[in-house]
Amino acid sequence: MAGQRVVIIGAGVVGAALADELSARGWDDITVVDQGAVPATGGSTSHAPGLVFQTNSSKTMTEMARYTVEKFMALDAFFQVGGLEVATTPERLTELHRRHGWATAWGIEAHLLTPEECVERHGLLSPDRILGGLFVPTDGLAKAVRAVEAQLRLAQERGVRVLERHEVLDIRVEDDRVTAVVTDQGEIPADLVVCCAGIWGPKVAGMVGMPLPLTPLAHQLAWTGSIPALNGQSEEVIRPILRHQDADLYYRDRFDQLGIGYYGHRPMPIRAEDILSIEAAEVMPSVMSFTEDDFAPAWTETQSLLPSTQESKIEEGINGLFSFTTDNLPLMGESPQVKGFWVAEAVWVTHSAGVARAMAEWLVDGYCSSFDLHECDVNRFEPHQIAPEYVLTRDCQNFVEVYDIIHPLQPPENLRPLRTSPFHARQRQLDAFFLEANGWERPQWYGANASLLEGRDIPQPNDWASRYWSPIVAAEAQASRETVAMYDMTALKRIEVSGPGAAAFLQRISTGDVDKSVGSVTYCLLLNEDGGIRSDITVARIDRDLFQVGANGNLDLDWFHRHLPSDGSVTIRDITSGTCCIGIWGPRVRDVVAPLAGPDFAEGGFRYFRGKRGYIGTVPVTALRLSYVGELGWELYTTADMGAKLWDTLWEAGQAHGLVAGGRGAFNSLRLEKGYRSFGTDMTYEHDPYEAGLGFAVRKDGKGDFIGRAALEERRAKVGRRLTCLTIDDPAAVVMGKEPVYDGDRCVGYVTSAAYGYTIGKGIAYAWLPAELSVPGQTVHIGYFDQRVTAVVAEEPLYDPAMERLRG
Ligand code: FAD
Ligand code: THG
């Protein structure tokens, strides 16, 4: 199959892997250019020590690492010596259990070891220093430059041109499309350009005006002289690669020496534009001179953890540059502005072949079927998240926290508050405890609601689950079911779709039939071509040619942009920031709202899943009658300027009816009781509507073709796994998500989201399980740190299955 004319910029481990993956899929007009000499070009790959620890909290990253390991093994560019992470503190030992859970959940064999077993694996370790370890037998050491060579050779055998010592100076763009790459040795015509320029990425992307949110940071890597205890070791690597995260350190063998990597020093960022040229650099552009003082604590600690290093000394070291991002995930995909300009950036050696495979599938097929890429898409960011100051600050912070133990709810500390809803001042008056979501300050609970605790007997979760938690969360959840509560929904992404082509556009991009009467609201899905779920959305028809879409994030906006008809008949606008939303729900909601809003909002005046414009007192609102928490009520939208007035109006009217403000903790518990899925957590690109329990949101009849439709038939016929509702009896055994689920000793799936259900009085965990185990009554066990939590498959939804509450 002939492909398009592709130019890959960069022959590091990412560019080389992409040349191989793309040519292996039959594309036959590919040129790789690099300013350096192949295979050690002077980029990060040239000096990477190559440690590959596959375990990651992200399923996608773990799977990409596994693919890289398998490929490098086949290329003879990998020492599969295993990976060992040791704990020197009780907190780390606990964390290793959590990491063991991730590895197991994502299908990587992993074992927890006693200190003695650690020393058996890695004889240099001081047994007195360690409390235990996590061992992954398939981890090991990548020979990154050898992998570059091998993959480029395969590519060249298929006709790929490799042009070394060609510096890219510019990229030609005509009519918002790339046409050529300009090098210091001439111009190369191109339909597609893929930027695999590593730390130079921002500079290259800048050539087409694309901001690329990554920061090159220096990281210290040192080598000891020969260590007498290693006795002239003749093989390059025999011991497992080693991590000592409590002190920000890692280690690898090199014959009778050790390589030591250190993250404990101050962040040393550099601008991509300021990286030295090949000519000007002393060693190579990605290598800065070693700052010995910064390394001193690392050496002291090393001599304690690995006492035989006392017989040696540090002989050489570098401050080597590689890329950090604001969420520690790579940047993949096409520029939103310039067609044909793609990036594969901020990628470790560890994930390189997996990323390249994903890119190749994406370029050739239009989507990636091997990995769920929603976390990696370069278009995932909100506008403020690509501001240079944001990028620099968060990237440096991520360097500092590389090996830290981070709770899943832990918010970033710096640059806050970033985005505040119009209700922020009111929320502070109510002593809100804020977490951050996409930059938005969002109350998790309100301290002022402590009075609600009176007379309630609220179970205490385990230590880990009780961080960023308060019993008030429970009280707010119960009050929402008893009286009425208001929730700040401003962070929900809102997209306005308008114009004469709007209805047809939404019919084509979604699984729903949205071409219904004005006032209709439709819950439906966005699918990829392969039938995988991209998002779940609500579409409200405000007017004949005006729709308001409740979405999940910037990727939805980007997806809409990419599918706009070229005739100008549809306009889309992100209205999130200019508007705000209060969800007000509960059995007494009509008592609060109807007197303010009139008969339309009284009983019989406003049907479930309908939307109307109206007024709450003086505030013009768009009201949608739906509820993610499963109670009677509305989402009320207004412009930002009227937000505080909306809050105050509802608040005052609500006092007589027991109105409370509710936070995100309660919200999450309530939505799980109701069985409402959350995109990105419960289902992702890899899941189809049927296995996710969302088949009801697909309308196959009465509307025309839509993206993903063709693939659905086949997927429906072979549902092998199901998103399954589990309940947990032990009230302390609240889990957090991403834990492995066992049937006997066999890991059969993993938890997506979890919370305690304060109405049903049980713990709830949603989990992906094989269809044959997804049967009510089936008992399974969730691996939670060093425990096994008993859970039972339940009929869902757990709360109000007859929809009596919602329909009012
Ligand atoms: P690079 O290897 O930098 O390749 C980019 C290429 O683009 C370069 O060859 C460059 O010459 C070329 N280029 C740039 N601009 C232009 C232009 N204008 N014209 C032409 N060519 C251009 N990762 C791990 O997985 N495990 C580890 O143990 C590990 N340890 C590390 C230790 C250190 C000290 C450092 C610095 C990094 C480490 N990393 C590790 C990270 C890893 O090295 C990088 O993430 C990875 O090598 C990046 O590969 P790349 O192909 O994207 O970039
Ligand atoms: N409100 C609005 N838009 C949203 C959300 C929201 N978009 C993103 C996300 N949240 C979408 N998730 C859901 C999940 C479930 C429901 C609504 C949005 C829901 N489902 C009902 C059910 O499953 O019974 C109704 C389904 C139907 O009638 O088709 O209400 O919170 N605006």
Side-chain angles (χ1 to χ4, degrees):
M1 185 190 81
Q4 314 203 49
R5 293 172 302 172
V6 184
V7 174
I8 296 171
I9 301 176
V13 74
V14 177
L18 180 59
D20 173 45
E21 296 281 343
L22 210 46
S23 59
R25 283 166 179 75
W27 280 22
D28 61 3
D29 192 340
I30 302 171
T31 309
V32 182
V33 294
D34 201 295
Q35 64 196 10
V38 173
T41 58
S44 306
T45 307
S46 306
H47 55 75
L51 289 84
V52 176
F53 289 94
Q54 298 165 87
T55 308
N56 194 294
S57 65
S58 157
K59 179 170 185 277
T60 298
M61 298 313 284
T62 304
E63 289 172 347
M64 286 177 165
R66 180 172 49 204
Y67 177 72
T68 306
V69 166
E70 285 163 6
K71 188 173 187 191
F72 285 14
M73 283 290 284
L75 294 174
D76 200 20
F78 198 74
F79 296 109
Q80 200 157 48
V81 288
L84 178 62
E85 307 183 5
V86 292
T88 59
T89 60
E91 294 75 25
R92 182 67 56 180
L93 190 60
T94 305
E95 175 71 357
L96 293 184
H97 279 94
R98 190 163 72 119
R99 296 177 62 78
H100 174 265
W102 292 337
T104 309
W106 315 146
I108 302 282
E109 183 187 338
H111 304 280
L112 289 151
L113 304 186
T114 62
E116 296 72 36
E117 289 168 328
C118 291
V119 177
E120 268 169 45
R121 299 268 174 202
H122 201 298
L124 302 187
L125 281 165
S126 162
D128 317 334
R129 283 294 317 277
I130 53 180
L131 304 176
L134 174 67
F135 183 65
V136 175
T138 52
D139 284 351
L141 204 89
K143 296 290 285 179
V145 174
R146 197 187 292 171
V148 168
E149 247 178 329
Q151 294 178 98
L152 283 182
R153 193 178 341 104
L154 289 170
Q156 281 171 306
E157 283 164 13
R158 299 185 200 105
V160 172
R161 289 173 294 276
V162 178
L163 305 178
E164 53 184 356
R165 298 194 180 86
H166 280 56
E167 187 188 355
V168 174
L169 302 175
D170 201 3
I171 295 163
R172 294 229 188 282
V173 177
E174 275 167 40
D175 296 330
D176 295 330
R177 197 162 240 308
V178 295
T179 57
V181 169
V182 183
T183 78
D184 55 357
Q185 305 192 41
E187 209 166 300
I188 312 165
D191 307 307
L192 295 177
V193 173
V194 191
C195 176
C196 305
I199 51 176
W200 291 269
K203 192 174 154 190
V204 174
M207 294 174 190
V208 300
M210 178 188 186
L212 195 66
L214 68 77
T215 306
L217 279 131
H219 149 59
Q220 290 199 305
L221 174 66
W223 300 92
T224 67
S226 63
I227 298 171
L230 296 186
N231 222 350
Q233 179 176 316
S234 60
E235 281 176 68
E236 182 172 348
V237 197
I238 55 177
R239 269 162 291 274
I241 55 169
L242 179 66
R243 261 184 185 162
H244 172 27
Q245 285 155 300
D246 289 317
D248 295 311
L249 282 161
Y250 65 77
Y251 302 91
R252 58 156 287 184
D253 285 12
R254 186 172 76 182
F255 302 102
D256 63 353
Q257 307 167 304
L258 281 186
I260 308 173
Y262 187 44
Y263 289 107
H265 51 82
R266 67 205 152 96
M268 303 183 225
I270 180 171
R271 292 177 347 131
E273 292 76 11
D274 297 337
I275 299 169
L276 293 177
S277 68
I278 292 177
E279 297 74 41
E282 210 172 295
V283 184
M284 53 174 115
S286 63
V287 170
M288 323 267 284
S289 32
F290 189 56
T291 49
E292 246 179 289
D293 288 353
D294 289 305
F295 196 75
W299 183 230
T300 307
E301 180 62 23
T302 297
Q303 289 172 299
S304 161
L305 184 78
L306 310 169
S308 49
T309 56
Q310 292 164 16
E311 310 286 311
S312 183
K313 56 182 181 4
I314 295 299
E315 277 197 346
E316 45 178 320
I318 61 169
N319 289 6
L321 294 172
F322 75 110
S323 308
F324 275 75
T325 57
T326 56
D327 54 10
N328 293 315
L329 288 157
L331 307 173
M332 301 166 63
E334 190 181 20
S335 150
Q337 259 91 44
V338 179
K339 290 262 164 312
F341 186 80
W342 291 70
V343 303
E345 286 283 341
V347 179
W348 287 33
V349 173
T350 301
H351 312 107
S352 56
V355 165
R357 175 179 180 169
M359 290 294 296
E361 288 179 2
W362 197 351
L363 289 164
V364 173
D365 303 329
Y367 58 89
C368 169
S369 51
S370 295
F371 307 99
D372 155 40
L373 295 185
H374 86 276
E375 297 174 313
C376 306
D377 193 312
V378 68
N379 296 301
R380 64 186 177 273
F381 301 105
E382 293 288 313
H384 73 273
Q385 291 174 322
I386 53 179
E389 180 176 344
Y390 180 93
V391 174
L392 178 65
T393 309
R394 288 275 159 97
D395 289 352
C396 288
Q397 189 60 26
N398 283 342
F399 177 88
V400 171
E401 292 175 1
V402 176
Y403 283 167
D404 287 4
I405 298 166
I406 310 273
H407 191 276
L409 291 175
Q410 182 178 325
E413 268 163 30
N414 47 32
L415 302 177
R416 289 177 61 195
L418 270 166
R419 306 173 86 182
T420 52
S421 84
F423 320 128
H424 189 68
R426 306 295 186 270
Q427 293 166 343
R428 291 183 54 163
Q429 281 163 12
L430 295 174
D431 194 18
F433 180 84
F434 291 98
L435 298 180
E436 192 206 72
N438 268 327
W440 291 101
E441 291 295 316
R442 204 163 61 174
Q444 189 71 2
W445 68 82
Y446 293 89
N449 284 335
S451 56
L452 292 175
L453 287 169
E454 218 167 296
R456 295 181 199 271
D457 186 16
I458 291 161
Q460 176 76 22
N462 60 79
D463 282 356
W464 184 249
S466 60
R467 294 191 199 179
Y468 305 99
W469 179 86
S470 155
I472 296 171
V473 167
E476 290 174 0
Q478 292 176 351
S480 306
R481 302 253 189 257
E482 292 161 5
T483 55
V484 51
M486 57 197 243
Y487 289 86
D488 181 356
M489 300 274 290
T490 303
L492 180 87
K493 188 84 163 178
R494 289 176 290 288
I495 305 170
E496 185 189 85
V497 180
S498 61
F505 166 75
L506 289 166
Q507 290 289 74
R508 162 106 195 110
I509 207 163
S510 82
T511 62
D513 182 7
V514 303
D515 197 1
K516 294 183 296 206
S517 61
V518 169
S520 64
V521 180
T522 310
Y523 173 67
C524 56
L525 308 171
L526 306 179
L527 301 181
N528 279 316
E529 283 296 347
D530 67 350
I533 300 171
R534 280 195 73 89
S535 189
D536 64 339
I537 59 172
T538 58
V539 180
R541 189 165 208 172
I542 308 291
D543 221 325
R544 200 182 70 115
D545 293 337
L546 180 64
F547 294 82
Q548 180 174 314
V549 175
N552 283 297
N554 216 60
L555 286 179
D556 299 324
L557 187 67
D558 180 63
W559 187 245
F560 279 15
H561 268 295
R562 289 178 188 281
H563 290 87
L564 279 184
S566 52
D567 62 6
S569 63
V570 184
T571 304
I572 59 178
R573 211 156 60 91
D574 180 353
I575 58 167
T576 315
S577 298
T579 57
C580 56
C581 177
I582 292 176
I584 182 163
W585 299 297
R588 295 174 69 175
V589 69
R590 285 198 182 111
D591 298 338
V592 180
V593 175
L596 298 168
D600 265 9
F601 287 70
E603 195 164 351
F606 205 133
R607 279 185 295 138
Y608 182 53
F609 260 78
R610 298 289 296 177
K612 281 183 200 179
R613 283 176 167 160
Y615 298 91
I616 300 292
T618 53
V619 182
V621 295
T622 298
L624 305 184
R625 220 199 106 187
L626 61 101
S627 168
Y628 205 57
V629 307
E631 294 293 332
L632 179 67
W634 294 270
E635 290 176 354
L636 301 171
Y637 297 88
T638 190
T639 48
D641 57 329
M642 297 301 286
K645 186 71 183 171
L646 177 62
W647 180 285
D648 292 343
T649 307
L650 291 169
W651 187 253
E652 267 164 45
Q655 289 316 299
H657 305 285
L659 175 68
V660 301
R664 198 69 187 180
F667 189 86
N668 193 46
S669 163
L670 295 166
R671 70 108 182 158
L672 281 171
E673 287 186 329
K674 196 64 191 128
Y676 290 158
R677 279 82 168 125
S678 174
F679 176 80
T681 309
D682 297 316
M683 69 284 189
T684 69
Y685 292 3
E686 69 177 296
H687 305 114
D688 68 50
Y690 309 110
E691 49 196 20
L694 294 172
F696 71 88
V698 179
R699 274 293 289 271
K700 285 269 207 63
D701 311 312
K703 69 176 270 186
D705 197 16
F706 56 88
I707 299 169
R709 182 188 166 119
L712 284 181
E713 221 50 69
E714 202 186 319
R715 291 191 73 149
R716 182 174 205 162
K718 54 170 197 199
V719 167
R721 57 185 172 184
R722 287 190 190 284
L723 184 58
T724 303
C725 178
L726 304 173
T727 57
I728 299 166
D729 280 336
D730 176 359
V734 176
V735 302
M736 303 298 296
K738 303 195 176 192
E739 295 87 0
V741 180
Y742 298 93
D743 175 32
D745 282 337
R746 193 170 56 107
C747 175
V748 290
Y750 59 91
V751 175
T752 57
S753 35
Y756 193 78
Y758 298 103
T759 321
I760 62 158
K762 278 186 177 158
I764 308 166
Y766 271 77
W768 282 99
L769 289 184
E772 65 273 15
L773 292 177
S774 183
V775 181
Q778 169 75 42
T779 297
V780 292
H781 293 94
I782 299 171
Y784 189 62
F785 295 97
D786 56 351
Q787 297 158 27
R788 294 280 167 108
V789 172
T790 304
V792 181
V793 175
E795 206 92 55
E796 64 168 328
L798 299 166
Y799 178 74
D800 190 26
M803 302 283 282
E804 282 158 6
R805 310 277 300 192
L806 260 174
R807 296 195 190 279

